[in-house]
Amino acid sequence: MNNRIELVKGDITKMKVDAIVNAANNSLLGGGGVDGAIHAAAGPGLLEECRKLNGCETGKARITAGYGLSAKHVIHTVGPVWYGGHRDEPEKLASCYQTSLELAMQNKLRTIAFPGISTGAYRFPSDLAALIAVNETKRFLMKNKFPEKVTFVAFSEEQYQTYRKLLEQ
Ligand code: AR6
């Protein structure tokens, strides 16, 4: 199982994988954080394709090409804003991982990389978000051959250590 899950620290826009996942918002028209970095690195073609998608619901995902990125595709998912945990935030975040992994499977993608969806501007607690990311990914990989490999991309040392502890269990 864990040989299909990898952890790295760094910038997800540099990943050479079949798809990187974007922590987008409902408009899918760009923003700050990892979303801004992905659009900046991909170039204007990405925004043009995103305009045609007419947005995305929270907890769902959409796929586009990767344009100027090293990644072939971008899977845009919209994480929940954290309001304290009583508005189904954990279920919505779990759904982001499930629907992104399903899109990867449907498109026969071998490799996919995730940032910590919702853990920046959307304020989801980092520890709980990592637990959901790891649990949903393990559950999906147990049942499916694709994607072959999932990489979690930590953006800070703290985030890296949180994932490392969970993956060692
Ligand atoms: N590579 C990997 N991880 C990154 C990178 C990067 N280049 N840049 C930031 N992170 P955020 P959210 C981490 O705020 O919380 C946008 O404006 C960051 O440290 O990007 O889901 C959208 O348009 C954090 O752990 O996404 C939405 O409006 C994680 O990525 C809103 O922010 C997510 O932080 C979405 O908020």
Side-chain angles (χ1 to χ4, degrees), residues 3-158:
N3 61 1
R4 289 173 69 192
I5 301 181
E6 185 182 66
L7 172 63
V8 301
K9 195 169 88 179
D11 179 356
I12 200 166
T13 66
K14 305 280 192 282
M15 295 288 296
K16 289 191 180 75
V17 284
D18 289 341
I20 58 171
V21 178
N22 182 18
N25 58 55
N26 295 117
S27 77
L28 296 184
L29 299 180
V34 72
D35 194 4
I38 288 173
H39 275 275
L46 182 61
L47 183 58
E48 224 170 280
E49 187 175 352
C50 283
R51 280 192 206 287
K52 296 181 190 143
L53 299 174
N54 290 314
C56 178
E57 274 172 59
T58 302
K60 297 280 165 57
R62 300 281 182 274
I63 189 167
T64 65
Y67 299 90
L69 292 162
S70 302
K72 290 181 204 144
H73 298 88
V74 179
I75 293 177
H76 308 260
T77 190
V78 184
V81 175
W82 180 261
Y83 289 110
H86 298 292
R87 295 198 195 174
D88 292 337
E89 294 97 327
E91 291 79 7
K92 286 177 185 157
L93 186 63
S95 173
C96 288
Y97 286 91
Q98 288 156 11
T99 56
S100 297
L101 290 164
E102 255 157 43
L103 270 181
M105 182 185 71
Q106 285 159 8
N107 289 275
K108 295 218 156 50
L109 305 186
R110 291 175 47 244
T111 53
I112 181 173
F114 281 97
I117 312 289
S118 283
T119 62
Y122 283 179
R123 308 182 310 270
F124 203 107
S126 205
D127 291 15
L128 179 56
L131 182 67
I132 291 169
V134 168
N135 283 350
E136 292 310 316
T137 299
K138 282 187 175 173
R139 199 177 8 202
F140 191 92
L141 293 183
M142 248 187 289
K143 288 191 246 159
N144 298 287
K145 274 200 220 152
F146 286 93
E148 290 169 3
K149 184 165 258 179
V150 175
T151 304
F152 294 116
V153 183
F155 202 53
S156 66
E157 181 61 23
E158 199 183 344

